[in-house]
Amino acid sequence: MIGFDEALARVVALARPLGTEEILVEEAHGRTLAQEVVARITAPAADVSTMDGYAVRGRDLVPGAMLRVVGELFPGGGGGAIGAAECARIFTGAPLPEGADRVVMQEEVERDGEMARLASSLSSDCFVRVAGSDFRAGETLLPAGSRLGPRELVVAAAGDVARITVHRRPRVRILATGDELVAPGEALGGAGIPDSIGIGVAAMAREHGAEVFGTQRVGDDLAALRRKAGAALGEADVVVVTGGASVGERDFGRAMFADHELELVIDKVAMKPGKPVWVGRAGDRLVVGLPGNPTSALVTARLLLAPLLLGLCGARPQLDWRLLPLAARLPGAGPRETFSRGFEKGGSAHLLHPQDSGAQRILAQATLLIRRPPGEEPLAAGSEVATLSF
Ligand SMILES: Nc1nc2c(c(=O)[nH]1)N[C@H]1C(S)=C(S)[C@@H](COP(=O)(O)OP(=O)(O)OC[C@H]3O[C@@H](n4cnc5c(N)ncnc54)[C@H](O)[C@@H]3O)O[C@H]1N2
Ligand code: MOO
């Protein structure tokens, strides 16, 4: 059985970015840039006011001075001009008129008809945002490989960029297998178990850049599973199977792809939870088999499926481990690499209970995975452990 680092390396090697497409910036949330974004405009385009007030010439800035108001300037409009002993009413973001080099905020001005009287004590700040101080036309604002969240989208749009080139999103079909599974809302009074993981894994996949068609529940009937496998491979880049990964009589996760020359790249990993996880290739499609125990499924989705999807999107597939001190002592680790569920509070990593891979309730509090190498000695409170957001 391979170790976790080897499994992750094999997954990352499979995660070659898919093709590219050009899309509108307003539809680009969560996508990854295939080409850098270059500013088409300079920002700000001119020297602009950072306050609502009066644009003045520095040499007229004398406490108590009376200046004639000769214009009114709004953002997006022209700047006009002022001369000696003159000023212009100006609003935040408006270009300074010719001749002006600073702004007095309106709290320091008393207006009297066409005249403005400056206060007896004036702020030393110029209140001017200089042309090009944010960025200039032709400058790179976002490098290729950037994942577009709210902050990056502001930057692209500010650069006057309407269309961007991104990597195609991996199309994902999730097949939740198990005779016992029913849709949430249909278990009460029957023998069925709500399919929780099909829904959770779909959400995890979407968070990591996938276009998920939705989850199909399929019973443990090999003929039906083979038909579903064929259909899924026809429409998806990545097929995710949940359940049926272990050695039970009705565990058909791998067998359902027998018609499609499944080549296993990973077949069991020395990790806890998630040992039965598997990943394979069927032609140019990828298949990921997640163990059915809900926590095992979600942990392996975070540790192996998420990096795979990010890599297919052209984003960094690496897992960003962060060292945190332990809040309390941890016993020695077992023989498999362990990924315990925990949470961060007061700058420390806390372990949750129970750690049973069938337990689902504690997932609501489990914001961290705490990583332990195989056979690690007990750790005292305060020892640093590698953690990953979950
Ligand atoms: N003899 C052995 N038995 C087991 C082994 C082993 O090595 N030898 N491994 C154990 C480990 S570890 C895991 S994890 C599980 C994984 O088994 P499967 O992937 O075959 O999962 P299932 O048997 O289909 O289901 C297990 C469990 O999870 C529930 N489940 C399944 N799908 C869902 C879903 N979509 N939503 C909610 N719950 C789900 C299912 O009802 C079962 O209770 O195998 C161990 N056994
Ligand atoms: O590894 Mo299983 O995933 O322990 O329950």
Side-chain angles (χ1 to χ4, degrees), residues 92-168:
T92 306
L96 259 60
E98 224 179 288
D101 48 18
R102 56 192 299 166
V103 170
V104 181
M105 58 178 169
Q106 69 190 47
E107 290 86 337
E108 295 180 347
V109 175
E110 204 180 301
R111 182 75 182 261
D112 183 5
E114 289 193 345
M115 302 303 286
R117 182 196 302 277
L118 304 187
S120 54
S121 117
L122 295 167
S123 161
S124 58
D125 202 315
C126 287
F127 299 120
V128 174
R129 192 168 291 136
V130 176
S133 58
D134 193 355
F135 53 81
R136 295 191 165 274
E139 285 179 356
T140 297
L141 298 178
L142 299 166
S146 304
R147 259 198 106 198
L148 301 172
R151 294 177 292 101
E152 289 80 3
L153 290 172
V154 167
V155 174
D160 193 35
V161 173
R163 303 185 71 85
I164 54 174
T165 304
V166 294
H167 288 283
R168 191 164 73 66

Side-chain angles (χ1 to χ4, degrees), residues 241-289:
V241 178
T242 67
S246 190
V247 292
E249 278 179 18
R250 293 187 187 165
D251 286 342
F252 297 134
R254 297 164 183 78
M256 64 194 270
F257 292 92
D259 300 338
H260 303 281
E261 291 172 11
L262 180 71
E263 178 200 335
L264 284 173
V265 177
I266 294 171
D267 187 11
K268 289 201 176 74
V269 180
M271 63 191 289
K272 185 178 163 52
K275 182 180 71 171
V277 66
W278 56 276
V279 177
R281 233 188 323 225
D284 62 350
R285 311 303 204 194
L286 299 171
V287 188
V288 177

Side-chain angles (χ1 to χ4, degrees), residues 7-30:
L8 182 61
R10 290 186 193 183
V11 158
V12 168
L14 285 177
R16 299 265 161 69
L18 299 167
T20 64
E21 60 186 336
E22 200 185 83
I23 61 167
L24 292 172
V25 74
E26 56 254 57
E27 286 162 12
H29 184 211

Side-chain angles (χ1 to χ4, degrees), residues 273-276 293 296 336 357:
K275 182 180 71 171
N293 275 335
S296 314
R336 292 184 262 157
S357 56

